[in-house]
Amino acid sequence: MKKNNLLVGILYILCGAIFLIIALLFDIRLNSLLFGFSGAFIGPGIIMISKYFYWTAPKNRNRYAERLENENIELHDERKEKLRDKSGRYAYVLGLAITGFSIVLFSILGKLEVITNSKLIILYLGGYFVFQYIAGVIIFRHLNNKY
């Protein structure tokens, strides 16, 4: 296992500790969010470090090499690559459809005065919709020119 995984795990724990210290030292409105961030960083950090030590132990090195080889075969399987590409495309189109539907839904709810300040939500969703579409076009053109 790469030493980079150990360093990333340590960095996660440090970030989580920083959030935890800020949450404990200061009484602000964001304390619950800071506690959540600390747990969200410390937990994966501990798991990364434990996995690093587990897989770099001499008794597990052969199993890890086999596991890496199997993962490499799975990643470069042409059928699975095509399926990943298709599923990504479907998720992209579905996300655009749901975002467009959400804009219409929040517009209706705003006009019926069920939601106050619906304009901010609509503007955000509209900006997100445009961003997603433009990012999809740019990424497609980049990949098309690359290959």
Side-chain angles (χ1 to χ4, degrees):
M1 185 166 249
K2 296 179 183 176
K3 197 161 200 123
N4 187 31
N5 292 352
L6 176 65
L7 297 176
V8 170
I10 292 171
L11 185 66
Y12 269 49
I13 290 177
L14 289 175
C15 288
I18 290 170
F19 282 122
L20 184 62
I21 289 169
I22 292 172
L24 291 173
L25 291 180
F26 303 106
D27 188 28
I28 54 177
R29 295 174 127 177
L30 300 176
N31 272 354
S32 59
L33 191 62
L34 291 172
F35 281 119
F37 281 148
S38 68
F41 278 97
I42 291 173
I46 291 171
I47 291 172
M48 286 177 181
I49 291 172
S50 63
K51 280 185 177 182
Y52 174 80
F53 285 116
Y54 177 79
W55 288 116
T56 55
K59 65 180 182 178
N60 296 325
R61 284 187 183 158
N62 291 336
R63 281 189 21 214
Y64 184 66
E66 289 175 16
R67 182 177 174 192
L68 276 181
E69 185 178 334
N70 288 338
E71 283 181 14
N72 197 18
I73 290 170
E74 290 290 322
L75 281 175
H76 298 295
D77 182 17
E78 290 178 16
R79 179 178 170 273
K80 289 190 178 182
E81 282 184 10
K82 190 172 184 176
L83 289 174
R84 278 193 300 269
D85 291 344
K86 264 193 169 184
S87 66
R89 172 75 178 150
Y90 291 151
Y92 169 73
V93 171
L94 183 65
L96 286 177
I98 289 173
T99 304
F101 177 76
S102 297
I103 291 171
V104 172
L105 179 69
F106 282 108
S107 296
I108 292 170
L109 291 175
K111 292 295 179 186
L112 294 175
E113 297 179 358
V114 174
I115 297 176
T116 57
N117 267 347
S118 64
K119 286 184 181 181
L120 185 61
I121 297 170
I122 294 167
L123 287 174
Y124 175 77
L125 287 173
Y128 178 69
F129 184 85
V130 170
F131 169 77
Q132 280 292 99
Y133 180 76
I134 291 173
V137 170
I138 290 172
I139 291 170
F140 176 79
R141 286 185 182 166
H142 173 73
L143 292 174
N144 194 29
N145 291 336
K146 186 176 178 181
Y147 297 107

